[in-house]
């Protein structure tokens, strides 16, 4: 005779003291049946897409409204109903409204809030660009001020929302201002001083928030802006379009800024106990290994006739020693990747110093 306790496949259900009924042996309980049914219902609900949900209808409706407003705006321009000032004003108002709606969204809808705020900032950038380049409503200084103000507001919104993507949008707009404006900022230091401020802001965000993506965006954009501006001035001088070559201050400040952003800051952060681990990827390794030789090449191209050969040898030797010391220090701190790539600038600058 086999009892329920002896048989491994038969289980005894404990009686419910409140029901007064005896237990049934080997039968699933009512709770088990209800639980299995509920689980199957939940799985089926997850697998069945609700195409008519409120969120989907809201997205479709919002897209239709945006398309309708866009076509209406374009038709109004074609019919001559809106002048340049009205066009720019409506675009700026639309960007401000998008930012305002993004600020009113709850914490559970952070993605939508960031998208609206980033889109509103982009619309404000484009309105300032159109006001200056297409309609000549703003001069160079006024356009710079407006773009800088939009970038500042965007970065403040990014800090409030703790959104690195939004900060990248703000830094991208700020760094591309010299390219969008197409003119020189008439302040002490010119465009180089302005880009230096943008680079400092990106570095502060990197230290304070550890936002590597926004820093990389700022470095790449600043480098592109500096290269385009210096190359444009040199081309204009060669073809005789202008007699003003790039100033010594602009070139020196731009190259110094490039070295600080590409080499100095990554090496400094690599020595940090906590932040340094984030800088063992391929991109910082490339920038720290080739940044110094590129800056040296830029200095030589700009000041080859102003500095003597011993001076160039001293500059190259100083850079080689700096990277050699940095490589040893990084190796002792366990930053093997960055330590090994310091051999590249050390060898290149060493050869230039001896030649």
């Amino acid at each position: 005779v086999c009892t329920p306790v002896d048989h491994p496949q038969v289980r005894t259900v404990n009686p419910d003291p409140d029901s007064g009924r005896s237990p049934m042996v080997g039968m699933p309980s009512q709770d088990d049946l209800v639980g299995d049914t509920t689980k199957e219902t939940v799985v089926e609900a997850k697998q069945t897409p609700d195409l008519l949900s409120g969120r989907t209808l809201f997205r479709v409706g919002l897209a239709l409204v945006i398309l309708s407003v866009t076509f209406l705006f374009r038709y109004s321009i074609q019919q001559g109903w809106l002048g340049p000032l009205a066009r720019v004003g409506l675009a700026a108002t639309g960007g401000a409204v998008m930012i305002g709606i993004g600020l009113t969204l709850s914490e559970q809808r952070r993605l939508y809030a960031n998208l609206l705020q980033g889109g509103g900032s982009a619309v404000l950038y484009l309105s300032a660009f159109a006001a200056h380049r297409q309609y000549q409503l703003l001069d160079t200084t006024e356009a710079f001020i407006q773009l800088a103000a939009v970038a500042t507001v965007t970065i403040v919104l990014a800090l409030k929302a703790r959104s690195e993507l939004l900060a990248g949008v703000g830094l991208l707009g700020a760094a591309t201002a010299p390219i969008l404006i197409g003119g020189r900022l008439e302040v002490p230091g010119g465009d180089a001083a302005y880009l230096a401020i943008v680079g400092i802001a990106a570095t502060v965000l990197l230290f304070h928030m550890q936002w590597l993506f926004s820093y990389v965006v700022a470095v790449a954009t600043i480098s592109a802006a500096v290269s385009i501006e210096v190359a444009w001035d040199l081309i204009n001088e060669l073809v005789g379009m202008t007699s003003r070559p790039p100033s010594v201050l602009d070139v020196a400040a731009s190259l110094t800024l490039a070295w600080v952003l590409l080499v100095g800051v990554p090496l400094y952060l690599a020595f940090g106990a906590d932040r340094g681990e984030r800088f063992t990827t391929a991109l910082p390794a490339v920038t720290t290994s080739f940044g110094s030789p590129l800056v040296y090449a830029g200095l030589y191209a700009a000041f080859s006739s102003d500095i003597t050969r011993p001076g160039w040898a001293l500059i190259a030797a100083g850079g080689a020693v700096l990277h050699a010391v940095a490589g040893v220090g990084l190796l002792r701190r366990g930053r093997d990747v960055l330590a090994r790539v310091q051999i590249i600038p050390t060898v290149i600058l060493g050869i230039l110093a001896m030649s």
Side-chain angles (χ1 to χ4, degrees):
V1 178
C2 179
T3 62
V5 178
D6 297 332
H7 201 285
Q9 297 181 351
V10 180
R11 59 186 178 90
T12 302
V13 181
N14 293 328
D16 186 359
D18 296 332
S19 64
R21 292 177 295 181
S22 60
M24 297 181 64
V25 178
M27 298 294 293
S29 65
Q30 185 177 2
D31 293 338
D32 293 338
L33 293 175
V34 174
D36 294 339
T37 306
T38 304
K39 292 179 181 179
E40 292 177 358
T41 305
V42 172
V43 171
E44 292 179 357
K46 289 182 178 179
Q47 293 178 350
T48 304
D50 189 4
L51 299 178
L52 298 179
S53 63
R55 180 178 297 180
T56 303
L57 293 177
F58 172 76
R59 293 175 181 174
V60 174
L62 181 61
L64 292 176
V65 169
I66 293 175
L67 289 175
S68 301
V69 172
T70 302
F71 282 114
L72 179 61
F73 186 72
R74 182 178 179 182
Y75 181 76
S76 301
I77 293 176
Q78 291 176 351
Q79 297 299 320
W81 297 345
L82 298 176
L85 184 59
R87 300 172 193 175
V88 174
L90 286 176
T93 302
V97 169
M98 292 177 64
I99 293 177
I101 295 175
L103 289 174
T104 59
L105 292 179
S106 60
E107 187 70 19
Q108 288 75 15
R109 298 180 178 179
R110 179 178 294 182
L111 177 60
Y112 296 113
N114 293 338
L115 289 176
L116 284 172
Q117 294 175 37
S121 299
V123 171
L124 291 177
Y125 281 124
L126 293 176
S127 64
F129 171 75
H132 173 68
R133 294 296 296 270
Q134 187 170 357
Y135 301 121
Q136 290 78 43
L137 298 175
L138 300 174
D139 59 20
T140 301
T141 303
E142 292 172 346
F144 259 114
I145 293 174
Q146 184 167 339
L147 289 174
V150 174
T152 303
V153 171
T154 306
I155 293 174
V156 171
L157 293 174
L159 291 173
K160 181 179 181 297
R162 303 186 70 84
S163 172
E164 185 176 5
L165 179 61
L166 195 57
V169 172
L171 292 171
L172 177 64
T176 54
I179 302 175
L180 295 176
I181 298 302
R184 289 184 176 274
L185 185 61
E186 300 299 332
V187 295
D191 296 350
Y194 171 80
L195 291 175
I197 294 174
V198 177
I200 291 172
T203 305
V204 170
L205 291 176
L206 179 62
F207 275 89
H208 181 63
M209 303 297 295
Q210 299 187 15
W211 284 348
L212 179 61
F213 170 76
S214 60
Y215 177 81
V216 171
V217 169
V219 169
T221 311
I222 290 172
S223 302
V226 169
S227 302
I228 291 174
E229 186 169 349
V230 173
W232 183 253
D233 288 340
L234 291 175
I235 292 173
N236 287 338
E237 184 187 9
L238 291 175
V239 299
M241 294 179 61
T242 179
S243 59
R244 185 184 70 172
S247 66
V248 175
L249 178 61
D250 287 349
V251 175
S254 301
L255 291 173
T256 302
L257 176 64
W259 188 90
V260 170
L261 293 176
L262 294 174
V263 182
V265 172
L267 283 180
Y268 179 78
L269 290 178
F271 280 91
D274 297 328
R275 302 185 181 93
E277 296 298 335
R278 300 191 64 191
F279 290 85
T280 58
T281 56
L283 183 61
V286 171
T287 59
T288 56
S289 60
F290 292 102
S292 292
L294 289 176
V295 170
Y296 180 88
L299 286 172
Y300 187 81
F303 307 108
S304 58
S305 59
D306 299 327
I307 301 177
T308 61
R309 291 179 62 87
W312 288 115
L314 183 62
I315 294 174
V321 171
L322 174 64
H323 282 279
V325 173
V328 174
L330 290 171
L331 189 61
R332 290 181 177 179
R333 291 179 177 269
R335 311 290 193 264
D336 296 338
V337 176
L338 282 175
R340 292 191 184 98
V341 298
Q342 301 312 308
I343 299 175
I344 299 174
T346 302
V347 172
I348 294 176
L349 294 175
I351 294 174
L352 292 174
M354 291 184 294
S355 62

